[in-house]
Amino acid sequence: MIHVYTGNGKGKTTAAFGLALRALGNGMRVFIVQFMKGGESGEVKAIKRFENASVLISGTGRFLPPIKEEDLEMAREGLKAARDAIKSYDMVILDEINVAVHFGLIEVDELLDIIRRAECEVILTGRYADRRLIEIADYVTIFQEMKHPYAKGIEARKGIEF
Amino acid sequence: MIHVYTGNGKGKTTAAFGLALRALGNGMRVFIVQFMKGGESGEVKAIKRFENASVLISGTGRFLPPIKEEDLEMAREGLKAARDAIKSYDMVILDEINVAVHFGLIEVDELLDIIRRAECEVILTGRYADRRLIEIADYVTIFQEMKHPYAKGIEARKGIEF
């Protein structure tokens, strides 16, 4: 089934990683591709402890736009890995892929083509989820931000925001 | 800081566990109390692999109401553990505590008294978050359900819903 976690609220990526944890705890195999993001976050470090979890970081970590060839290349690589993983894993998490689609790094038709055939769980996260992804999804949760300390000028904290 | 994950959408508990994973990956110590719930879910099994994570399941797993003495006792025990953990852990997750407050198993004033003094991260999850908890919180995300296969009559699946 297809899950979409979108909206501007905190918790989309962590919800996906929590779902990975749930699946791993039940003996499932999980593949995670992180689009957009560059470095290795706390959750990536932690999930790598599980032998049934694989992570591919396939972003530049740069703030977009402008879009460079490198951004497009990383997104293409991530999508290729996703296409393969969907055939053999129980759960495939495409973190921030909605943002990659939003910025035109990935064609929504190509993504739809890949996930439509999926027999495993596919989780798509990130703001700006495309209408067609929401239409095809079985689960859609909108994460709505009601309060965030950013508003008070507090910066992202290690262990909490990344 | 205080985080509240509420609303009727899927992902509140998994977002909290994902946040735990992020914290653990950054070397933080995490304590999780699960209110309401009875058994050991996939995510609990998985997170127990981390030596810096402790989990207390402090619910009966029964559907409420009616409320029995056992429900009240479990909630009291969970709250007591939370009060202690807040003094020594970096992150304390009180999963489904909003529901326990909603059903009157926990007095909101008592909970406010505990979390107001917290110097660590405190995450409160569950539907029906009390207005006073939202007021005191630094982060509030409303998980809004837009689509869920329950609506099509599909039942909870192991590895996905628990």
Side-chain angles (χ1 to χ4, degrees):
Chain A
M1 292 207 188
I2 298 166
H3 308 232
V4 172
Y5 293 161
T6 194
N8 66 346
K10 180 170 168 60
K12 299 180 290 294
T13 294
T14 47
F17 273 78
L19 199 56
L21 204 61
R22 177 174 288 170
L24 291 164
N26 280 309
M28 291 163 71
R29 296 180 64 237
V30 180
F31 193 89
I32 300 172
V33 187
Q34 290 206 301
F35 293 89
M36 311 304 292
K37 293 169 182 172
E40 195 170 74
S41 60
E43 60 270 30
V44 169
K45 272 181 215 150
I47 209 125
K48 280 188 167 175
R49 286 225 201 162
F50 294 88
E51 51 184 27
N52 282 343
S54 299
V55 183
L56 174 69
I57 296 171
S58 206
T60 59
R62 290 194 316 110
F63 189 83
L64 301 186
I67 291 157
K68 296 189 179 168
E69 180 53 39
E70 197 195 353
D71 297 304
L72 291 161
E73 228 166 75
M74 293 295 261
R76 268 196 299 267
E77 268 178 38
L79 197 65
K80 189 174 169 297
R83 191 189 288 272
D84 293 340
I86 277 172
K87 292 173 196 156
S88 57
Y89 281 79
D90 301 306
M91 179 178 286
V92 175
I93 293 172
L94 306 179
D95 189 38
E96 303 293 359
I97 197 164
N98 295 332
V99 181
V101 169
H102 174 74
F103 280 114
L105 304 184
I106 287 172
E107 292 291 334
V108 69
D109 285 330
E110 200 181 342
L111 176 57
L112 282 166
D113 185 57
I114 292 171
I115 64 177
R116 205 175 264 135
R117 304 170 189 186
E119 288 180 16
C120 65
E121 300 297 314
V122 179
I123 292 89
L124 313 173
T125 85
R127 295 180 184 211
Y128 320 122
D130 190 279
R131 187 183 44 78
R132 283 164 291 177
L133 296 173
I134 287 175
E135 272 169 19
I136 201 182
D138 301 286
Y139 299 82
V140 178
T141 304
I142 313 290
F143 290 57
Q144 204 187 312
E145 183 180 307
M146 191 171 169
K147 254 191 188 182
H148 197 295
Y150 283 157
K152 292 187 226 158
I154 293 165
E155 290 189 15
R157 295 172 301 145
K158 188 172 174 174
I160 313 302
E161 269 86 22
F162 60 96
Chain B
M1 293 205 188
I2 298 166
H3 308 232
V4 172
Y5 293 161
T6 193
N8 67 347
K10 179 172 170 60
K12 299 180 292 292
T13 293
T14 48
F17 274 78
L19 199 57
L21 204 61
R22 176 174 290 170
L24 291 164
N26 281 309
M28 292 164 70
R29 297 180 64 237
V30 180
F31 193 89
I32 300 171
V33 186
Q34 290 205 302
F35 293 89
M36 310 305 294
K37 293 169 182 173
E40 194 171 77
S41 60
E43 59 271 31
V44 169
K45 271 181 217 150
I47 209 127
K48 280 188 169 175
R49 284 224 204 162
F50 294 87
E51 52 184 28
N52 282 344
S54 299
V55 183
L56 174 69
I57 296 169
S58 205
T60 59
R62 290 195 317 109
F63 189 83
L64 303 185
I67 291 157
K68 295 190 178 169
E69 181 52 40
E70 196 196 353
D71 297 303
L72 291 161
E73 227 166 76
M74 293 296 262
R76 268 197 298 268
E77 269 178 39
L79 197 64
K80 187 174 172 296
R83 190 189 288 274
D84 294 339
I86 276 172
K87 293 173 195 155
S88 57
Y89 281 80
D90 302 305
M91 179 177 285
V92 175
I93 294 172
L94 306 179
D95 189 39
E96 303 291 2
I97 197 164
N98 295 333
V99 181
V101 169
H102 174 76
F103 280 114
L105 304 184
I106 287 173
E107 291 292 335
V108 71
D109 286 328
E110 200 181 343
L111 177 57
L112 282 166
D113 185 57
I114 293 171
I115 63 177
R116 203 175 265 135
R117 305 169 189 188
E119 289 179 16
C120 64
E121 301 297 313
V122 179
I123 291 89
L124 313 172
T125 85
R127 297 181 184 208
Y128 319 121
D130 190 279
R131 187 183 45 77
R132 285 164 288 177
L133 297 173
I134 286 174
E135 273 170 17
I136 201 181
D138 301 284
Y139 299 82
V140 179
T141 305
I142 313 290
F143 290 57
Q144 205 186 313
E145 183 179 307
M146 192 171 168
K147 252 191 188 183
H148 197 295
Y150 282 157
K152 293 188 226 158
I154 291 165
E155 289 190 15
R157 293 173 304 144
K158 188 172 175 175
I160 312 303
E161 269 85 22
F162 60 94

